[in-house]
Amino acid sequence: MTDKKPSRKEQILQTLAYMLEAEPGGRVTTSGLAREVGVSESALYRHFPSKARMLEALIEFIEDSVFSRINRIISEGDALQQVEQILTLILAFTERNPGITRLLTGDALTGENERLRQRIQQFYDRVESQLKQVVRDAEFREGKRTRATPGITANLLLSVVEGRIAQFVRSGFRARPAEDWHEQWALIAPMIFRADGKAL
């Protein structure tokens, strides 16, 4: 059985992701993308009306990949396990997809449509909201209370992940996001919930 050949649209997006990875810090142009794909620029625009729409399609891939898995994660396990799995998921996803991770730091969006930056902000807001919901629900489901408020806790957890992602991009993809994460999580985990179940 042969693998299904990607459509031209998929090929364009895969090539764009590759170029984002191959040129850390560089800006991908539609002319360069067309050359890499082996088509004319006008052929690109038959599939996507603009470069912004190509980048938006990659952001949609990030959203679909991450949030579909988060929905499965929150359906089982306790709150601490869910938080760990959500954070690990994002780190592992970015490590497997270095090119499009540049979108998550805004590095590849310089000079692009402002709505793309807003879309990335909404992605992080949604992750933070999910983390907040998990730690807040722990009080009702498990009798656990966070040391700080659920909002402060979720923001700190997200900041850790964002920092690892930023290091990954800044290092030219050498500082892997999931490297030493197991040991770091062991330091973070005891700080989330109070041992006596009471908030400060």
Side-chain angles (χ1 to χ4, degrees):
M1 185 176 178
T2 58
D3 291 336
K4 182 183 176 184
K5 186 179 179 181
S7 67
R8 179 67 77 188
K9 199 169 185 176
E10 291 170 335
Q11 185 185 9
I12 291 169
L13 293 177
Q14 288 169 1
T15 303
L16 176 55
Y18 164 76
M19 292 179 72
L20 288 169
E21 178 181 354
E23 303 174 28
R27 192 161 187 261
V28 176
T29 63
T30 51
S31 59
L33 177 60
R35 254 192 327 272
E36 193 73 29
V37 176
V39 298
S40 65
E41 279 190 76
S42 60
L44 289 183
Y45 293 124
R46 281 201 292 273
H47 297 281
F48 295 97
S50 64
K51 181 185 172 187
R53 189 63 194 92
M54 298 176 203
L55 292 170
E56 199 164 24
L58 290 181
I59 294 172
E60 287 169 1
F61 169 72
I62 296 171
E63 292 170 339
D64 292 344
S65 299
V66 170
F67 291 114
S68 63
R69 288 169 174 82
I70 286 179
N71 287 337
R72 291 200 293 270
I73 287 170
I74 61 175
S75 67
E76 54 187 37
D78 63 27
L80 204 57
Q81 290 172 327
Q82 290 173 3
V83 169
E84 179 185 11
Q85 288 174 24
I86 289 171
L87 300 183
T88 302
L89 162 68
I90 296 170
L91 294 176
F93 176 82
T94 55
E95 189 168 311
R96 287 195 303 270
N97 299 278
I100 60 177
T101 296
R102 290 182 57 200
L103 300 176
L104 290 175
T105 63
D107 171 68
L109 298 178
T110 303
E112 301 296 344
N113 193 300
E114 180 59 26
R115 83 168 184 272
L116 299 175
R117 289 185 174 278
Q118 293 171 355
R119 188 83 179 255
I120 293 299
Q121 182 61 50
Q122 289 168 1
F123 169 83
Y124 282 116
D125 287 347
R126 193 173 165 190
V127 172
E128 185 172 349
S129 177
Q130 191 66 75
L131 290 168
K132 181 179 176 180
Q133 187 70 46
V134 168
V135 297
R136 186 169 55 197
D137 286 353
E139 179 179 353
F140 308 106
R141 295 178 178 176
E142 304 168 44
K144 295 178 180 177
R145 298 193 70 182
T146 50
R147 290 178 180 269
T149 66
I152 291 172
T153 303
N155 182 259
L156 175 61
L157 293 168
L158 180 65
S159 297
V160 172
V161 167
E162 281 198 71
R164 296 305 303 259
I165 293 171
Q167 288 176 341
F168 184 44
V169 173
R170 191 173 65 244
S171 70
F173 310 127
R174 290 187 298 276
R176 295 185 295 108
E179 189 173 9
D180 300 323
W181 172 241
H182 180 74
E183 289 79 7
Q184 290 176 337
W185 173 249
L187 296 173
I188 296 168
M191 299 167 59
I192 297 176
F193 295 107
R194 286 181 60 81
D196 58 8
K198 297 177 182 177
L200 291 175

